Amino acid sequence: NDPNGLIYYNGQYHVFFQHNPYDTKWGPMHWGHVVSDDLTNWKYLTIALTPGDEFDKNGCFSGSAIVYDGKLWLMYTGFIENQGGESIRQIQCLAESDDGITFKKHGTVIGTELLPEGYAPEDFRDPKIWRHNDCFWCIVAAKRKGGRGRILMYKSKDLFKWEFVGDLFGVDSAGAMIECPDYNEEAGY
């Protein structure tokens, strides 16, 4: 589910997706990976991201991809279940690849310490990243404690050190949670 990180890199179209390789039900999410030369015929590659590190030990949730400095970068949500409920943590993590197939994880780059006060660390996911005017920008789905879905914005000069910019709309959405927000610079939304 959740196709994400759709990008053109090294002469191929890449699509990543949440994937549980152990069952047909939702479980410890990995990032599956397919590529195409023509957007019609697709080839499955090895799993791009596997949970298991301290920052994503219970799952690698959705995110996005960007090409920068000749490398393919993935920003994704690391899921830490702990005891469930409010002890769950969702944090934004970074991985890079020189070949578009194997990825090196760099760990947490937007952690719960960058959440504004009053936001729920168990509902903080699905980063969408892009570059504009020599700066990286990222929107992340979030929720205020006791509230409904919101979208938070962050910025960075180097993909590793991020700062909070603001809550894009400043009010709760109509939905319980916003999933997989996106941004299209050409359309302006």
Side-chain angles (χ1 to χ4, degrees):
N1 68 311
D2 282 2
N4 55 87
L6 289 75
I7 198 154
Y8 189 77
Y9 178 72
N10 277 355
Q12 291 185 304
Y13 298 96
H14 293 253
V15 176
F16 302 91
F17 52 93
Q18 283 191 161
H19 169 61
N20 178 0
Y22 310 114
D23 204 334
T24 57
K25 299 180 277 192
W26 195 91
M29 300 316 269
H30 296 57
W31 268 36
H33 186 189
V34 294
V35 294
S36 173
D37 295 324
D38 59 10
L39 292 174
T40 301
N41 300 294
W42 294 89
K43 175 184 172 188
Y44 283 88
L45 298 180
T46 58
I47 291 173
L49 297 174
T50 300
D53 294 291
E54 190 60 33
F55 48 85
D56 65 9
K57 65 183 175 184
N58 299 111
C60 298
F61 285 7
S62 294
S64 57
I66 190 170
V67 175
Y68 174 66
D69 201 21
K71 297 181 182 184
L72 179 56
W73 297 84
L74 305 179
M75 183 177 269
Y76 68 99
T77 299
F79 177 63
I80 306 165
E81 194 166 13
N82 297 323
Q83 305 303 312
E86 291 183 9
S87 68
I88 288 173
R89 292 295 174 265
Q90 294 178 356
I91 51 182
Q92 311 326 304
C93 304
L94 188 66
E96 74 172 286
S97 176
D98 291 320
D99 62 8
I101 299 170
T102 55
F103 291 86
K104 174 186 174 188
K105 293 181 190 176
H106 290 286
T108 307
V109 292
I110 303 177
T112 56
E113 75 282 356
L114 291 176
L115 269 174
E117 188 173 334
Y119 283 76
E122 67 272 14
D123 288 310
F124 180 48
R125 57 184 172 267
D126 305 339
K128 171 63 179 185
I129 186 173
W130 71 96
R131 189 159 188 229
H132 181 78
N133 291 340
D134 295 326
C135 195
F136 296 97
W137 298 90
C138 181
I139 52 175
V140 184
K143 185 189 291 189
R144 288 184 57 83
K145 293 178 183 177
R148 300 178 79 71
R150 304 255 185 140
I151 298 177
L152 303 181
M153 180 173 271
Y154 295 85
K155 70 178 180 177
S156 172
K157 290 287 187 187
D158 65 3
L159 289 171
F160 290 89
K161 294 178 185 144
W162 291 84
E163 65 181 84
F164 176 68
V165 175
D167 182 323
L168 279 187
F169 305 112
V171 296
D172 285 352
S173 69
M177 185 66 190
I178 296 172
E179 303 287 348
C180 300
D182 203 353
Y183 175 78
N184 181 324
E185 189 164 3
E186 289 180 15
Y189 58 85

